[in-house]
Amino acid sequence: MSFVADVLTDPSIPASARQQAINRIYSDPGVPQQSSTSSFWLKTPRAFEPNGPGLPRTVDVVIIGSGITGASIAHSLLDNAAPPSILMLEARSICSGATGRNGGHILETADEYSELADLFGVEDAKKIMRFRLAHLGETLAVAEELGIAEESQARKVQFLSVYFGEEPWQAALERLRRFKEDMPEEAAEWTSFEGDAIPKHFHLDRARGIVAGPAGALWPYKFVTGVLAHLREKYPDKFRIEERTPVTKIHELGYPALPYKVETDRGVIYARHVIHCTNAHVGHLVPGLLGRIFPVRGQMSAQTPGNLFPNQGNDHSWIFNYDRGFDYLTQLPEGQMMLGGGFAQGEHGGLADLGVPTDSDLSMYIDIHLSGALPAIFGRKDWGFVSGDPIQAMWTGSMAFTSDGFPWVGQLPESATGRSIGKERGCEWISAAFGGEGMVQAWLCGKALATMLLAQDGKLDQGTDSDLEWFPKQLLSSKERLDATRLPQEVSDTPHRASL
């Protein structure tokens, strides 16, 4: 979130450009456009044939969105003694949004621990860190449990967070010290290298220092579609997926059993619960979240490594920390380098990508940066030459950020939707806005939301932890949070951070 506040209040950027970004943030993001850049992850799409003709007339739960969040919610709802009937609706093809366009990087550096501890206290900061760190083991376990680990290339690696300057390196060491001091068990695998102690096989001769720790990598599209295919096979009477079915409107009808009418281009569905997993597009159907959740366009690439660079796809992933911004990198077992980032190198330091909900265009400046970064980082003598096209694909995706830096998870207040709710009736729910860090937030956010929904309906399995003590309160949806976290609508040079 801090980088958003930085660019919106940077007096070196013309006020007119900053105001245009704020206006985009407050604009209706609409439904996902059919035109898009071509993501490398989607090059071998999985076919999802319709369960039956047309749309079902009634259903217990409508999930809008088919990314990792929707998959997690469906998985948790169906893995219950009394599973509800679920209809998942996707505006385009399955998993073609943010999850099908991200870096496939299951990474939590713990860099934010110190800031979180200063803001919320040590115990809350520890809970947030444990929640994020748990995603590595949880994701790999799900892949193994469902038999999709090999297909999705889910694997544990060691991340290398690389610093090139003296001042940022010293700040990183202090953050690492505090994390290891306060959370020694969780930080057991974290270590650091600097100067001559940096291993030569890292091929990072220009680095001032490196923080290393546990991380994961996978093919995100294959992971999510693998989960969804498993659920369709196991629960054919309870779980349906319909792609190319954008939701255009939601009406609150007042009927206790089926209080919501969900309109699509293909017909209407009556549902007890509606769950918004639409991330950057959530403001279209939940207008009260405009100015609290907003799209940010990110850019990714798939690149061919130089002939001298050894394949480290099963060993390492990388974060490259610059004077402005950072890049993130994984390498596939087949060799492709999946490099994303470059945000701060975009127009006006990334300002032009704020509030952009489409993924149909590239940023020229970020394209230039990503296309030339890797030989410079790893050293041209260790990189060698590239046989064939060095850039196999370049694409964009719409992330969702929030005004207070945390995802939104839970029941939506009436003031957000403009539609009424009641204790004896179904509700509208949200699990969205992961700030570009969905791989270490989305799956367990989905699991938490499913638990909340089942608890409200009185259908939780016996012995299930319904109090969600493990879930950080900062992520919960509430009217109080809605009232407190609205971005200013006018340009200001004073940094703003919404507070809970």
Side-chain angles (χ1 to χ4, degrees), residues 56-60 62 64 87 89 247-255 257-264 267-274 276 285 419-420 425 427-428:
R57 186 68 169 170
T58 64
V59 70
D60 293 326
V62 168
I64 310 174
L87 174 63
L89 299 174
V247 175
T248 55
K249 202 163 187 180
I250 299 171
H251 300 274
E252 192 275 315
L253 300 176
Y255 306 142
L258 297 168
Y260 295 107
K261 176 184 176 182
V262 180
E263 290 188 7
T264 78
V268 301
I269 307 103
Y270 296 90
R272 176 170 171 78
H273 297 283
V274 177
H276 298 266
L285 295 171
R419 296 175 283 270
S420 62
R425 295 154 44 192
C427 299
E428 287 185 72

Side-chain angles (χ1 to χ4, degrees), residues 357-419:
T358 58
D359 50 26
S360 54
D361 298 304
L362 298 175
S363 162
M364 181 186 72
Y365 297 115
I366 297 176
D367 192 339
I368 292 169
H369 168 77
L370 294 179
S371 296
L374 293 179
I377 289 169
F378 290 111
R380 290 172 178 80
K381 66 180 178 61
D382 290 332
W383 188 252
F385 69 90
V386 174
S387 177
D389 192 346
I391 308 299
Q392 297 185 25
M394 183 79 70
W395 66 94
T396 51
S398 292
M399 304 174 285
F401 282 67
T402 64
S403 53
D404 61 6
F406 294 102
W408 276 72
V409 182
Q411 186 181 129
L412 280 165
E414 293 180 11
S415 52
T417 65
R419 296 175 283 270

Side-chain angles (χ1 to χ4, degrees), residues 40 91 116 153 189 232 241 285 295 318 373 404 439 464 476:
F40 177 91
L116 292 169
Q153 301 180 358
E189 295 184 63
R232 286 230 312 181
I241 304 174
L285 295 171
W318 299 265
D404 61 6
M439 298 306 296
T464 301
L476 291 171

Side-chain angles (χ1 to χ4, degrees), residues 2 43 63 74 110 185 195 261 284 301 314 332 340 353 426 452 489:
S2 59
K43 67 177 184 175
I63 298 175
E185 183 177 347
K261 176 184 176 182
H284 178 59
S301 66
N314 290 316
L332 300 188
D353 292 297
M452 297 175 202
Q489 285 189 266

